[in-house]
Amino acid sequence: MLPEDIDNLFRDGLDGHVTPPDPALWARLADATNAAGAPPAADDARLDELFRAGLAAHATPPGRALWERLEDEHLRPPRPRRAAAWWPRALAAAVALLLVAGGAGLLWRHAAGLRPGTELAARTSARGTQGTAGPLRPSEISGTSKTNQQNAVAAATGAPADALDATAGAPKGTLATAATPATTAPQVARAATGQEGPRAARAMKSTSLAAAENNFSHQATRLAVPASSGSSATKRAAVSPSVAARPGPARSGAPDAPAPAVRGPKPLDAGALAVAPTPTAAPASAVIEVEVRRGSAAPAPVAAATAETFSDDDDRPVGRRVLGGLLRQARHVVRGERVSLAEATGLPENLTLQANLGGRTLSRTIRL
Amino acid sequence: MTEADLIAACQRGEPRAQRQLYERLAGLMLTVCRRYLKRREDAEEALLLGFAQMFRALPTYRGEGSFEGWVRRIMVNRALMELRRREPLTLSFDDFAQPENLASTPATADTQLQADDLLALLAELPAGYRTVFNLYALEGYGHQEIAALLGISEGTSKSQLSKARALLQRRVTHQLIINNEQ
């Protein structure tokens, strides 16, 4: 067959031939035409409406803590709602304070422990008639204490009676100086009557004798001054009840020689200077008295001090006691309880410092 | 207690009223914040700061217009501020959707998608697309306002909106297919 014949064959066979299309084809074409020809704004509006309707009324519940945060951080920030943020700092500060206080207490006790007898009864007095008696040295006090403990007991037991008598107006000039062991700082108990004349002279004599006998003359003679010149019937004495209760040979009518007594080491108050309160009418210009005392109460009258206050039954070493106190306070801090500096260091809760200067009584109570 | 009474009590600083107002609006406003911020924690932070700002500004509220709308504007502003901190807005204004990625099947309003699905779709958008779409389509801002608010040109705002829509349509369709298969 010639090539020209082949061309004619296909041309004649296919020319005018019709292939019917699938009916679905038109539907697809129509969809495509509509989609292509639709304005884009309609689609956008539908999409916007989809999100707007779906989210307009939708509420997402917030977390429970969100309101508390809003309150704490923005609405009422000063309100201390949670203490957890500051308590570690407070704990650290408390521990540091306790350590410092404990160290100070240890130093104090250590310094006090170097002194013999650890109890000091000293008085700084200036007198016109009897001269000036310097402050007692610890060695003197110690020696006196050791040698005159019996006298101290006698004075302690006898002095209250004298003191009471004198308070009642008995014309008896007595001076009783006693270092009470229970207070750990010797307290000089003095009973003075407002006697003049021979009584005063006798009192001076008796106290001088007592002082010479007890090797403590400077105190006795010094104390004679207010007795001889005083006109007031006021008499005050501080006597430890523990001493007063102690059986011992009482010397009735004894002139109550000064007798500092020591009962074991009392390192805590060894540096304390304890002098009995002075009579109000004593020649104040001649005597300067300083008293450091536990507690904030006024000087105890006769046998007013409680023995348990001054008792010291703890035989543990000082270091262990202080360490125990520190640990107790740390436990208090952890539990949120009250912290006591006095308990931590073994120091008294209150210290009262009282000074009589020129007729004026200055008193100061320090709370630890 | 009516809304006016509640607002007055809040203006007096009554804590109970403040709590009540918070409980009434917090859910709605958290959804607003979630539309702008991907992470729920960030949205809650914006809600927190927005409420704090609202309570501070409440004494100046004069009762003009819808109170909820007033609060919503505060929340939107706060969410935008948070968005700038969390997701740098300018980095997302690059062209993201190419023409071949655009949907050919339009989403319809009767499409059944849950709100969480829609929020998830919004969260998947780049920050710029999401922000412009939210402001224009859902809040009703104009392009001029959006441009001023975001510091962009009006043309950029229109472009971002167009691309955001195209991307959303495609993803909505995809989401519908997934939902139908489930």
Side-chain angles (χ1 to χ4, degrees):
Chain A
M1 183 177 288
L2 295 173
E4 294 80 11
D5 297 338
I6 291 174
D7 293 348
N8 292 330
L9 175 65
F10 278 90
R11 188 177 299 117
D12 294 340
L14 295 178
D15 191 18
H17 182 266
V18 176
T19 302
D22 188 354
L25 192 62
W26 174 248
R28 289 174 57 192
L29 181 63
D31 287 345
T33 306
N34 289 339
D43 289 341
D44 294 344
R46 281 198 294 268
L47 184 70
D48 293 356
E49 181 60 27
L50 170 68
F51 279 88
R52 197 178 296 124
L55 297 176
H58 182 258
T60 305
R64 289 185 177 181
L66 205 60
W67 169 253
E68 292 182 358
R69 278 189 61 203
L70 181 64
E71 261 195 324
D72 290 352
E73 297 173 9
H74 299 282
L75 299 182
R76 279 167 282 281
R79 187 171 149 196
R81 194 179 180 107
R82 294 176 184 83
W86 58 265
W87 79 263
R89 294 181 183 178
L91 178 63
V95 169
L97 181 63
L98 288 176
L99 289 176
V100 170
L106 279 174
L107 286 175
W108 190 7
R109 283 167 181 264
H110 180 68
L114 297 176
R115 301 178 185 179
T118 67
E119 293 190 12
L120 174 64
R123 171 184 301 196
T124 303
S125 62
R127 73 189 81 249
T129 58
Q130 295 291 332
T132 302
L136 293 180
R137 288 177 297 187
S139 57
E140 291 178 353
I141 297 167
S142 176
T144 308
S145 300
K146 289 175 182 175
T147 56
N148 299 307
Q149 185 170 4
Q150 186 177 3
N151 291 339
V153 172
T157 54
D162 295 339
L164 289 174
D165 290 343
T167 306
K172 184 179 180 182
T174 60
L175 286 173
T177 304
T180 62
T183 58
T184 70
Q187 292 187 358
V188 179
R190 178 174 56 196
T193 63
Q195 285 289 318
E196 296 180 0
R199 288 283 184 191
R202 195 169 59 196
M204 180 191 296
K205 179 182 178 184
S206 64
T207 53
S208 298
L209 288 174
E213 180 182 329
N214 293 314
N215 196 18
F216 207 54
S217 59
H218 58 287
Q219 273 202 356
T221 51
R222 175 174 51 82
L223 292 172
V225 175
S228 61
S229 58
S231 59
S232 169
T234 306
K235 176 166 62 177
R236 290 186 289 173
V239 177
S240 165
S242 61
V243 176
R246 186 185 305 168
R251 293 189 295 182
S252 61
D256 304 328
V262 176
R263 191 198 71 173
K266 307 296 178 192
L268 175 62
D269 297 78
L273 186 64
V275 177
T278 56
T280 54
S285 60
V287 180
I288 299 175
E289 294 179 342
V290 179
E291 180 176 358
V292 179
R293 191 174 52 255
R294 284 172 181 252
S296 57
V302 179
T306 57
E308 58 269 23
T309 304
F310 306 121
S311 66
D312 190 1
D313 297 332
D314 196 349
D315 295 331
R316 289 181 298 169
V318 172
R320 289 188 60 184
R321 266 187 287 174
V322 173
L323 181 60
L326 288 174
L327 291 177
R328 270 197 303 277
Q329 298 315 307
R331 192 171 62 229
H332 289 177
V333 170
V334 171
R335 293 178 177 175
E337 298 172 355
R338 178 174 172 270
V339 177
S340 171
L341 186 61
E343 189 180 346
T345 60
L347 300 176
E349 191 85 22
N350 295 319
L351 283 178
T352 300
L353 176 66
Q354 181 171 322
N356 294 326
L357 299 171
R360 285 186 166 185
T361 300
L362 304 175
S363 181
R364 183 84 178 173
T365 299
I366 303 170
R367 181 185 177 91
L368 298 177
Chain B
M1 185 180 284
T2 64
E3 187 178 84
D5 294 338
L6 196 59
I7 293 170
C10 289
Q11 286 174 333
R12 292 192 297 271
E14 294 181 11
R16 181 179 293 183
Q18 288 177 336
R19 177 67 184 267
Q20 207 169 339
L21 186 63
Y22 168 83
E23 288 176 348
R24 188 178 288 191
L25 294 176
L28 288 173
M29 297 308 146
L30 184 55
T31 297
V32 171
C33 295
R34 283 182 68 194
R35 284 188 352 228
Y36 290 87
L37 294 156
K38 274 186 184 178
R39 298 171 64 238
R40 182 188 171 104
E41 294 80 11
D42 298 342
E44 287 191 341
E45 189 69 20
L47 179 77
L48 183 80
L49 298 173
F51 263 102
Q53 182 181 346
M54 184 268 288
F55 281 126
R56 281 197 301 271
L58 199 55
T60 65
Y61 176 65
R62 300 297 173 213
E64 300 167 354
S66 161
F67 178 71
E68 186 182 320
W70 182 72
V71 177
R72 182 185 292 265
R73 279 195 296 275
I74 292 175
M75 293 298 167
V76 167
N77 286 330
R78 180 56 64 177
L80 289 176
M81 291 174 67
E82 197 70 16
L83 182 68
R84 287 192 185 96
R85 287 206 309 136
R86 309 283 176 180
E87 304 172 58
L89 207 58
T90 53
L91 297 181
S92 300
F93 279 114
D94 299 333
D95 280 343
F96 179 79
Q98 300 301 318
E100 59 270 22
N101 293 332
L102 298 182
S104 57
T105 303
T108 56
D110 56 352
T111 304
Q112 295 301 312
L113 283 177
Q114 300 298 318
D116 286 338
D117 296 330
L118 298 176
L119 287 172
L121 289 173
L122 284 175
E124 289 174 1
L125 288 178
Y129 292 5
R130 186 187 336 133
T131 305
V132 174
F133 179 77
N134 268 313
L135 290 173
Y136 187 92
L138 303 183
E139 307 292 350
Y141 285 74
H143 285 297
Q144 194 173 358
E145 292 174 283
I146 294 172
L149 196 60
L150 300 181
I152 58 177
S153 67
E154 285 189 49
T156 302
S157 175
K158 290 175 182 174
S159 167
Q160 297 291 306
L161 177 65
S162 173
K163 291 169 182 172
R165 279 173 170 159
L167 200 56
L168 278 176
Q169 283 190 350
R170 180 175 177 270
R171 290 181 177 177
V172 164
T173 304
H174 182 67
Q175 186 67 40
L176 283 173
I177 293 171
I178 293 176
N179 289 352
N180 290 333
E181 288 174 353
Q182 292 173 350

